[in-house]
Amino acid sequence: LERFTVQEKITYILELLDTTESIIFETLFTNDRCREEIIVTFLAVLELTKQKVIRIYQVQEFGSIYLKRWQEA
């Protein structure tokens, strides 16, 4: 059973955002995702959003959820 931590997921998300402009939320999970991974990933996304490190958005209603680095206007 693989364990996940919020800090590991935060690091993983930030590393991905170093190589691409945006990420689709669903791609943050392993192929054999479990409830724990989903919860820990969601908490990592919430923490990064709270700290204004990333922004979460949808292009269309019920569409994919995207993450990108926060940029001041």
Side-chain angles (χ1 to χ4, degrees), residues 8-55:
E8 288 171 345
K9 283 294 186 176
I10 285 173
T11 300
Y12 176 66
I13 292 167
L14 294 177
E15 286 174 354
L16 285 175
L17 287 172
D18 283 342
T19 63
T20 187
E21 184 177 333
S22 64
I23 305 167
I24 298 173
F25 180 72
E26 298 88 51
T27 64
L28 296 176
F29 305 106
T30 59
N31 289 335
D32 56 344
R33 63 181 162 237
C34 62
R35 178 180 290 150
E36 179 187 7
E37 182 182 12
I38 294 168
I39 292 168
V40 168
T41 302
F42 187 68
L43 290 172
V45 167
L46 289 177
E47 183 61 31
L48 287 168
T49 304
K50 180 177 122 183
Q51 294 177 7
K52 293 188 177 182
V53 175
I54 65 169
R55 222 175 43 122

Side-chain angles (χ1 to χ4, degrees), residues 2 5 15 34 70:
E2 189 171 2
T5 68
E15 286 174 354
C34 62
W70 182 275

Side-chain angles (χ1 to χ4, degrees), residues 58-64 66:
Q58 282 181 301
V59 176
Q60 60 188 15
E61 188 174 1
F62 303 112
S64 293
Y66 292 88

